[in-house]
Amino acid sequence: MEQKPTIGTVFVPGGMPKFTYVPRTERELEKALQKVTDNLCKLVVVTGATKTGKTVLTRRVLSNQEPLVKVECGRIQSEDDFWQECMIELGARLDVELSESSGKAEGADISGTLSVGAFGAKLKTQAQINEEINSQKIEKSKPAGSLRSRTIRYLRETSSILIADDFHYLPRSLQGHIVRALKSEIFDGFPFVIIAIPHRRYDAVRVEREMNGRIEPIKVPDWSIEELVKIPKIGFPLLGMKITDKLSKRLAEEAYGSPHLMQEFCKELAQKSDELTEPSVERSFDDSIFIKISEHTGKVIFDKLASGPRQRSDRKQRRLVGGGTADIYRVILMALSRLEPGMRKVDYESLRASVKDLLYQEDMPQAHEVTRVLEKMAEIASKEEMSVKVLDWDEEEQKLHITDPFFAFFLKWSRDYVDTSV
């Protein structure tokens, strides 16, 4: 039976949209991904900013391929974790292997045993017992090589496609172990796809120099305004609602190139409109929609960063020009919010100038204090309990990368919360 469109099935933030999937045909992303099934002999690296649809694209294109082995690297803590996730996806047992027995079975060294069949009891000799045991397969628990080697053998023998999502979450050393382990398989045509954020796209080369020239990069660009507006234009008519081009464009401009955020906007608007006696998308819209969505998508992450790491003593409170006080972690986030960085890189000097506008001169932190806080924030953002690594500090380039559109969106639309929650 064909699925009837509902608000929850038409607009699917963070899921696999059936009705409002936009293939972005002119960018030929799906065509590029199909190459992975054609003995490419390269490591395919799909990159794009967080929530730009990398995972949706990859899984949709390869969904008809079996078996498809998907590993969420955000929950991987060790190399064994990675291989074990692969085995679980394959439905393989980790501790049992079928093999032909050779010699006597343990405990079978007796002169005879009693076998009860349809025609009553019958005494079997030891020779007969051994012959039966040696002529059949038995299950026995034994190691069959390392977990790594067994997993790679299963992947190869089952002609699997391996997808490692959020590969950048793994420490460099762990990335190196995995890439090196699969290197010869990749060279022989094994399809391995890693999904990562743009500024970490060359990690595979950095951890394994022999992969240089063996990378097939597929960049998933931020969605354009023209691409994003297709989501409401397709979705609202399916629900019997109309939306103007002007409002569709406004929503797209606030989405920071993220179809996930666009789906959030549309779903919230559709639900508000549906509550009216005469549904009207236009009458349901105001900026409160953006404020509401920002709070439930960015507040928890912001609070974790604002709290900083645990320490024994209270942090120094710095006087704000606008009144009140704040510690250095909140000051830096306030300064970042005032820059409204979107998904841009923020250079250190711009951030420091914004901090200077917030504080009295005598309360200004030293340069090394600011960089130390940025390093700590990046460290907090990379911990397992964080749903998304929202920012990344590049010490070498002295630049702060905003990697999550939800966090960028929160910084813009929750400035009152950012400034007053001190």
Side-chain angles (χ1 to χ4, degrees):
M1 182 181 295
E2 188 173 347
Q3 187 180 18
K4 181 182 178 181
T6 64
I7 293 175
T9 58
V10 170
F11 298 120
V12 191
M16 184 73 73
K18 175 183 177 181
F19 296 105
T20 51
Y21 174 77
V22 179
R24 309 173 81 185
T25 309
E26 65 279 4
R27 297 186 185 272
E28 297 189 334
L29 297 171
E30 293 188 353
K31 182 179 178 181
L33 253 175
Q34 285 288 359
K35 292 180 182 178
V36 75
T37 63
D38 190 28
N39 198 39
L40 186 61
C41 300
K42 290 185 178 182
L43 173 62
V44 176
V45 182
V46 179
T47 62
T50 302
K51 298 181 180 69
T52 50
K54 303 183 299 297
T55 301
V56 170
L57 169 70
T58 303
R59 293 192 180 185
R60 185 178 178 91
V61 171
L62 301 176
S63 60
N64 293 327
Q65 306 296 322
E66 291 292 343
L68 192 62
V69 178
K70 306 176 291 293
V71 178
E72 302 289 343
C73 293
R75 57 176 180 240
I76 298 300
Q77 298 295 310
S78 66
E79 185 182 354
D80 277 355
D81 282 351
F82 183 86
W83 303 120
Q84 186 165 328
E85 283 291 314
C86 292
M87 295 288 265
I88 291 171
E89 281 278 302
L90 286 165
R93 292 184 63 178
L94 303 177
D95 59 344
V96 175
E97 181 174 287
L98 283 175
S99 63
E100 295 287 343
S101 66
S102 58
K104 299 177 183 179
E106 186 177 351
D109 191 15
I110 55 176
S111 59
T113 188
L114 188 67
S115 174
V116 181
F119 301 101
K122 177 183 177 183
L123 186 67
K124 292 184 179 180
T125 66
Q126 179 64 52
Q128 288 173 317
I129 294 170
N130 288 342
E131 185 178 352
E132 283 188 9
I133 292 173
N134 289 333
S135 64
Q136 62 183 336
K137 285 185 176 181
I138 64 170
E139 268 194 348
K140 60 180 180 178
S141 203
K142 69 170 187 178
S146 68
L147 179 58
R148 174 199 288 182
S149 63
R150 279 181 284 159
T151 304
I152 293 173
R153 186 171 72 248
Y154 275 118
L155 290 169
R156 183 176 60 246
E157 291 175 352
T158 55
S159 300
S160 300
I161 294 177
L162 176 58
I163 299 174
D165 203 352
D166 289 329
F167 194 68
H168 52 274
Y169 279 178
L170 302 180
R172 286 279 178 86
S173 59
L174 182 49
Q175 291 180 3
H177 291 318
I178 293 168
V179 171
R180 277 189 289 274
L182 290 167
K183 181 175 62 178
S184 63
E185 308 298 324
I186 293 168
F187 293 174
D188 289 337
F190 172 70
F192 182 25
V193 181
I194 65 177
I195 302 175
I197 52 180
H199 68 284
R200 301 288 295 275
R201 63 188 179 276
Y202 295 121
D203 278 3
V205 174
R206 289 170 179 161
V207 300
E208 182 50 58
R209 295 297 179 185
E210 289 187 28
M211 295 305 298
N212 192 22
R214 293 281 189 172
I215 302 291
E216 180 75 7
I218 299 177
K219 186 179 185 301
V220 179
D222 290 350
W223 287 50
S224 66
I225 299 295
E226 293 73 24
E227 289 170 328
L228 287 170
V229 297
K230 291 179 181 179
I231 294 174
K233 284 183 176 180
I234 293 170
F236 281 107
L238 292 174
L239 299 170
M241 302 177 185
K242 295 181 180 180
I243 185 169
T244 63
D245 291 345
K246 181 179 180 181
L247 181 51
S248 292
K249 185 178 180 182
R250 173 71 197 287
L251 298 178
E253 288 171 343
E254 295 292 342
Y256 289 125
S258 167
H260 188 153
L261 265 177
M262 192 61 161
Q263 295 273 355
E264 290 274 10
F265 300 159
C266 292
K267 186 173 184 178
E268 182 66 26
L269 255 180
Q271 289 173 338
K272 285 191 69 174
S273 179
D274 196 48
E275 293 170 358
L276 300 177
T277 305
E278 296 181 7
S280 170
V281 176
E282 304 301 318
R283 285 196 295 116
S284 300
F285 173 76
D286 58 45
D287 286 355
S288 66
I289 283 178
F290 297 139
I291 296 170
K292 178 181 178 181
I293 291 174
S294 72
E295 287 176 352
H296 73 72
T297 56
K299 181 178 178 296
V300 172
I301 296 173
F302 176 89
D303 286 344
K304 284 179 179 287
L305 296 175
S307 296
R310 293 180 181 178
Q311 63 180 44
R312 294 179 181 177
S313 58
D314 292 336
R315 293 192 187 93
K316 175 183 177 181
Q317 295 295 309
R318 300 168 191 268
R319 294 176 302 148
L320 301 169
V321 173
T325 61
D327 70 22
I328 189 171
Y329 281 84
R330 187 170 291 277
V331 167
I332 287 176
L333 288 171
M334 290 169 65
L336 194 58
S337 173
R338 287 168 178 263
L339 291 173
E340 291 187 8
M343 298 299 290
R344 302 192 314 270
K345 291 182 288 188
V346 180
D347 65 80
Y348 171 79
E349 292 303 328
S350 297
L351 182 59
R352 184 167 172 78
S354 185
V355 170
K356 189 175 181 180
D357 290 339
L358 285 169
L359 298 174
Y360 289 101
Q361 180 61 40
E362 54 268 30
D363 285 300
M364 272 294 293
Q366 298 295 316
H368 73 274
E369 292 180 288
V370 175
T371 55
R372 177 182 58 81
V373 168
L374 292 173
E375 289 170 358
K376 287 294 183 182
M377 283 186 176
E379 184 181 320
I380 293 169
S382 67
K383 288 183 178 179
E384 180 187 7
E385 60 265 24
M386 297 293 289
S387 58
V388 176
K389 185 172 182 178
V390 298
L391 51 79
D392 199 3
W393 169 247
D394 190 321
E395 175 65 29
E396 186 176 343
E397 292 187 4
Q398 291 285 287
K399 292 185 185 296
L400 184 69
H401 298 263
I402 307 297
T403 60
D404 177 31
F406 278 178
F407 185 61
F409 182 71
F410 177 84
L411 289 174
K412 175 179 180 179
W413 283 101
S414 294
R415 180 180 295 176
D416 288 344
Y417 172 81
V418 172
D419 285 352
T420 60
S421 181
V422 178

